[in-house]
Each structure stands twice: as structure tokens, then as C-alpha cells.
Amino acid sequence: MTDVDLEFARVRAVLDRPTLRLMSRPTSAVVLAVFRTVFDRDVQYVPADRMHLQVEEHVARLQAAGARTPANEARSVAPDAGMVSEQGEPDARPNGRALCREWVAAQWLVRSNSPDGDEQYSLTSHALEALSLVDALSSDRALISESRLAMIVDAVHRWAARAEPDPAVQVRRIDAQIAELQAERDRLEHGEVDTVDDTRMRDGYTNISDLIRQLPSDFKRVEEAVAAMHRSIVEDFRQEVRPIGEILDDYLARTDNLMEATPEGRAFEGAFELLRDDALLLRLRDDIQTILAHPFADGLGAAERRAFRNTVVILRQGIEDVLAQRRQLTATLRDQIVAHDVARDRELDAVLRSVERGLATWMDQGSARDRLPLGLLPATAEVGTLRERFYDPDAESVPPAIEEPDDDVFEELDVETLRRHGGPLLTELRAALRSASADSSVDAFHGLPPEQRRPVELFGLAHLLTGHDDFESAAHLAEHRTVRPDGRSVTFHMPTAALTDERRGPDPDTTNDEHAQEAR
């Protein structure tokens, strides 16, 4: 093969990767926008039901805005395969479940079970890498800058010092660093401080953010590698093609190779060593806070500040996800070793194979509409009804006799006592108002005997004075001193009315007065 053939094969293999397939589709903008909206920087797992609803809502919104969505693309390829509404027209509403299933098959989403047993979705390393590339290309910055060149020079210098085999050269390098740091310290002691402008700080922040954005996809690759090893080992257990001891040796060897032979594994080991150093983590947090305290950070958005501040959280979460996948694999191996019964598995396999043979025989002899009686495996158990209640002697006993009431418990009440605790005496009040020589209703009320000046009599007085202009307008408020049945005095403030001869009039006939009869 020529050079161009090799290069063509290499480029075609790269273009067939899920990351570039995601970015090269006509609907890539919609898919990536949905991923970025649903999976925020702080959200890694989304429940399946919520994911389906959010995908339908976001895709429908973009579809209404005129964007080319995956639903439109599917209908343009296979219009007869789309949904049909009740009116016979193609249903334009996207199907979130079908889209998520398609994205899982394209290796952009992963469907797994949460600790509670519910289904959930998460982004694969390919989708995270595509989102990271979009974020990097969407930021406005110079590709060649002082910060990026300084970062490259510092990295080359640091690794050259580690790669130097001559101890004398290493000592000279360290002496030069000590002299440089001593000169910097002396300059700071004399008050010479070099301030960094906002442009240079912004450029340095952008370069660091580019590296931070690549962390989730790197950790996800390690997690996917562990998951692939998990599936392979579980498949070996189920097929029983190799002894258990050989499978365990293979697991240990592949675990070591995963963490040492792959770039993702080496990066994971380095991050794991970093998280073990508490002093280094504390210094990293302090350095992040120092960068965000610079005046240039005032121009950053809230999301950018939060993402930069959560760098240590990203490291911890990525390592925790990888360790959780490894713990799941270890638990699977332990359960398989402890609960694995070769004889039982072989017996179940024999039963399933006999069922398949019987089903194949029935399918050859019968037609599509024939019905065959199938018994349940196992058969329904016949269990009789057990006694739910036992004999209780108290339920058969006779209830106790009803005691005769004691008439001496209650005191005898006469009519006068009942009247003292009853309602207002309208007849006495009306007679007092018409025959009183006082000029106002309050004076007429105070002229009544104490047993007729109860607080409840004020309601009757208000009833009789209704219709008087001065009473209704409450032009004059007066104290009405009442006497309770127990002899205590209580004062109330109430409007009063003037009593004139025209208003007094003749005494009415109270024979059929409903209120008077009731009060009596």
C-alpha cells in the first residue's frame, strides 16, 4: 500500500469514530444543543422518564424554530416509518424515547441503572469530547498567546529536568531555580510588584479552562473501559468457556494493563495520586480562589466562575465514578464466585433448550392462527383458606346493665333562673323606653333595675333603637353600665338615641309579638 492509501485508511477510521459522526451529521447542532441543555456541567445522570420528556420538548421547540431535527431527518429518509396522527397526517411531534434509543446505539448516550434501580442516562466520552470541542471553538481567543507558549515552555522544562540522567546537570538546574526564586523574593521585599493586566489573566484563564473541559471525557473513557471489561468478564462467566481461576487472573491482569498501558489509565492514576495529597488539593483551591479574586474575573459569567471553582469537584467526581464502576465489577465477580452453581445452571439450560425444541416443533406443525394450551411453570398452588380469627370469650359476654340516672345530681331550676340566663327581655325594654322620663336611651337603660340591665339586654336595646337616625349614625357614644347575673358590673360603649314624645308613641300590643314571646 502507498502512503496515500495508509493515510486514507487512517482518516476514514478517525471519521468513523462516534465523536466525529456526532459532529458531521446535518442535525449535529440540535443534538449537541440538547445534550448541553439537559446535561449541565453539574448534572451527569438524568432519569429516563425526565430525559424522554426533555428531549421531546427541546427538539419540538427547535423544530418549530425551523431547525433540522432528527425527527425531520428520519421522516425524510423513511416517510412511511413515521407516526401518523388521527387525521391521517404524519405526526410532527418527536419521540423522545426513540431518539434516546437511537443515540444509545450511536454510542452518544449510556443507559444504566441508578442505585435505586431506576433507569438513567449519561453522556459517553465521545459526546463529552464533542461538547468540549464545541466549547473550545466557540470561545474567542488567539491561538498563539504568551500564556499558551509559557505553559508549553514550562512543561518542556519540567519534563526535561525529570528526563535528565546526569545528577550534576539536575543540581545545576535546581541551583538556577533557587537563584531565580531568591531574586524574585528580594525584589518583592523591596516593594517591586509586577501587576498582570486583565488581558493576560484572561488568556491564562482560557488556557486552563481548555484543560479542565477535557477532564470529564478523559474520566469517562476510563469508566467505559472498565465497563467493557465488566461485560466481557460477565460473558465469560455465563458461557463457562474458561475456569473461574483463569477468569480472575485475566481480570487482575487486564486491570493492571488498563491503568498502565493506556493514556486514560495513566491519567487516572495520576489524578488518583493527586487526590491523596491533601496539601496539594488545598493549594489548588487557594490558587483557584486567587485567580478568581483578580479584577479580570469580574467579566466572567456566573457559570464560568462556578465551573472554574469546581475543578477539584470534577476531579473527585470523575475518580468516584471510575471507582464505582470497579466496585461494581468486583461485586459481580464476588457474587458469581459465591452463588455460582454449575449443576443448577446446566439444569436450567437443559430445560430452556427443551422448551425451544418443543416450540420449534409446534411452529412446524401449526399455522399462524392456531392456539396451543400452555401450562404455567410452575403450576398454580392450591392453598386452602386458613382461620383468621380465634375464639374470644369476651365477644360472647353480655354487656353490663344500664345504670339508672340519679336525679339528685342536677339542681332544680326555676323560671326566673332560666330568664336570667336567657335572651333580652324586649317587652320590659320597650316599656321602659316609652314610659321613661329620661331624654336619652342610655338614661332610660340606667333607670332599669339591675336584673334588667344584663349585658344581653344591649342587643335588645339595639334592636328597638334601629331606625333612629342618631343611633344609626352613631353620633353619640355613651357608657352603658350592665350587671351580670352573678352581680359583676361590666361597662360597654354603645351609640345612644334621643327619646322624644313622637318617638315614644302609644304602647304597642305585644300579644302576638314573636320576639316578646320568645324572650319570655
Side-chain angles (χ1 to χ4, degrees):
M1 298 178 65
T2 61
D3 295 340
V4 66
D5 295 331
L6 295 176
E7 191 65 22
F8 172 76
R10 186 181 66 85
V11 172
R12 186 173 60 179
V14 172
L15 293 177
D16 287 339
R17 292 182 179 178
T19 301
L20 292 181
R21 283 193 285 106
L22 173 58
M23 302 189 66
S24 61
R25 296 181 59 174
T27 59
S28 299
V30 173
V31 178
L32 291 174
V34 171
F35 285 169
R36 175 55 71 197
T37 305
V38 176
F39 295 94
D40 195 4
R41 298 186 185 276
D42 299 332
V43 178
Q44 294 185 356
Y45 298 95
V46 177
D49 295 338
R50 191 200 311 171
M51 179 72 179
H52 298 158
L53 294 177
Q54 289 182 345
V55 168
E56 289 182 1
E57 180 182 356
H58 295 326
V59 174
R61 182 182 300 273
L62 295 176
Q63 181 178 345
R68 184 172 181 179
T69 62
N72 291 337
E73 185 182 35
R75 282 194 298 272
S76 63
V77 175
D80 296 336
M83 300 296 293
V84 178
S85 63
E86 296 180 356
Q87 291 78 13
E89 299 177 356
D91 190 3
R93 181 72 179 178
N95 190 336
R97 183 183 299 274
L99 291 177
C100 291
R101 189 183 301 112
E102 177 185 350
W103 295 340
V104 169
Q107 301 181 22
W108 302 333
L109 287 179
V110 175
R111 183 171 54 195
S112 58
N113 292 329
S114 64
D116 298 334
D118 300 329
E119 288 189 351
Q120 61 184 5
Y121 287 98
S122 61
L123 294 177
T124 63
S125 61
H126 310 293
L128 291 173
E129 188 176 6
L131 292 176
S132 176
L133 183 58
V134 170
D135 294 340
L137 295 177
S138 61
S139 60
D140 296 333
R141 62 179 180 84
L143 297 178
I144 299 178
S145 61
E146 178 186 358
S147 175
R148 181 162 292 250
L149 293 178
M151 186 180 299
I152 295 175
V153 171
D154 292 341
V156 172
H157 181 74
R158 183 173 64 256
W159 287 107
R162 294 185 179 183
E164 178 59 51
D166 190 354
V169 176
Q170 294 184 6
V171 171
R172 287 198 300 269
R173 288 177 178 270
I174 295 175
D175 292 339
Q177 293 178 1
I178 294 175
E180 183 179 356
L181 294 176
Q182 185 65 36
E184 181 70 16
R185 184 177 184 276
D186 296 339
R187 185 176 60 81
L188 294 175
E189 285 185 347
H190 290 84
E192 300 178 4
V193 179
D194 293 337
T195 58
V196 183
D197 55 6
D198 295 350
T199 303
R200 296 173 61 187
M201 286 296 299
R202 177 75 184 200
D203 184 67
Y205 160 79
T206 304
N207 291 328
I208 297 175
S209 298
D210 290 340
L211 298 177
I212 295 175
R213 277 194 294 264
Q214 299 174 10
L215 291 176
S217 60
D218 294 339
F219 283 119
K220 201 66 176 181
R221 289 192 188 93
V222 182
E223 184 180 352
E224 291 173 355
V226 176
M229 183 172 58
H230 183 191
R231 291 190 297 268
S232 176
I233 292 178
V234 170
E235 187 66 23
D236 290 342
F237 269 119
R238 291 176 178 175
Q239 294 180 358
E240 298 180 0
V241 295
R242 294 185 298 170
I244 296 179
E246 183 179 347
I247 296 176
L248 293 178
D249 293 339
D250 185 22
Y251 163 68
L252 297 176
R254 293 172 65 177
T255 302
D256 295 338
N257 293 333
L258 177 65
M259 298 305 169
E260 296 177 0
T262 61
E264 296 84 0
R266 290 192 296 269
F268 171 76
E269 290 293 336
F272 193 66
E273 293 296 332
L274 173 65
L275 289 182
R276 290 181 178 177
D277 192 345
D278 295 336
L280 190 59
L281 284 178
L282 181 60
R283 188 179 68 182
L284 177 59
R285 289 195 183 95
D286 294 340
D287 292 341
I288 291 175
Q289 294 298 332
T290 303
I291 294 175
L292 292 178
H294 193 272
F296 95 96
D298 296 337
L300 299 177
E304 294 177 330
R305 297 172 64 90
R306 184 174 64 253
F308 190 69
R309 189 180 290 110
N310 291 339
T311 301
V312 179
V313 177
I314 293 175
L315 290 173
R316 289 187 180 276
Q317 185 62 43
I319 291 179
E320 179 61 29
D321 292 340
V322 176
L323 294 180
Q325 192 69 34
R326 292 180 61 178
R327 286 194 296 269
Q328 182 180 0
L329 175 57
T330 305
T332 302
L333 294 176
R334 183 181 63 251
D335 296 341
Q336 187 71 20
I337 294 173
V338 173
H340 185 61
D341 189 349
V342 178
R344 185 179 59 184
D345 291 347
R346 290 178 179 175
E347 182 180 356
L348 178 60
D349 183 69
V351 172
L352 294 178
R353 291 182 183 277
S354 63
V355 171
E356 291 180 356
R357 288 194 300 268
L359 181 60
T361 303
W362 289 340
M363 293 298 295
D364 294 337
Q365 296 177 356
S367 62
R369 296 184 178 273
D370 290 344
R371 293 185 178 183
L372 298 175
L374 294 178
L376 295 179
L377 295 176
T380 304
E382 296 292 339
V383 179
T385 303
L386 301 179
R387 180 182 294 274
E388 298 180 355
R389 287 186 177 183
F390 296 96
Y391 174 73
D392 186 4
D394 294 337
E396 304 294 336
S397 61
V398 180
I402 300 177
E403 298 180 358
E404 294 293 336
D406 190 0
D407 296 336
D408 298 336
V409 176
F410 305 100
E411 298 180 357
E412 295 184 0
L413 300 177
D414 54 2
V415 177
E416 294 299 329
T417 303
L418 292 177
R419 292 189 64 188
R420 283 199 305 268
H421 292 83
L425 305 176
L426 296 180
T427 303
E428 287 79 351
L429 286 175
R430 184 181 291 109
L433 292 178
R434 294 187 179 278
S435 62
S437 60
D439 296 333
S440 62
S441 61
V442 62
D443 295 335
F445 181 76
H446 289 158
L448 295 173
E451 61 271 9
Q452 295 183 10
R453 285 191 291 112
R454 300 174 299 159
V456 73
E457 305 295 347
L458 295 180
F459 292 98
L461 182 62
H463 173 71
L464 296 177
L465 295 178
T466 300
H468 293 248
D469 296 337
D470 47 359
F471 178 79
E472 301 239 349
S473 62
H476 302 284
L477 293 177
E479 294 183 354
H480 292 66
R481 294 182 296 276
T482 62
V483 180
R484 293 181 181 273
D486 58 1
R488 290 183 299 170
S489 299
V490 182
T491 302
F492 297 93
H493 290 80
M494 177 177 167
T496 182
L499 300 179
T500 60
D501 295 338
E502 293 80 5
R503 292 181 179 179
R504 288 187 176 95
D507 293 337
D509 184 11
T510 60
T511 303
N512 297 323
D513 193 340
E514 179 182 355
H515 299 286
Q517 295 296 332
E518 181 181 358
R520 292 185 178 277

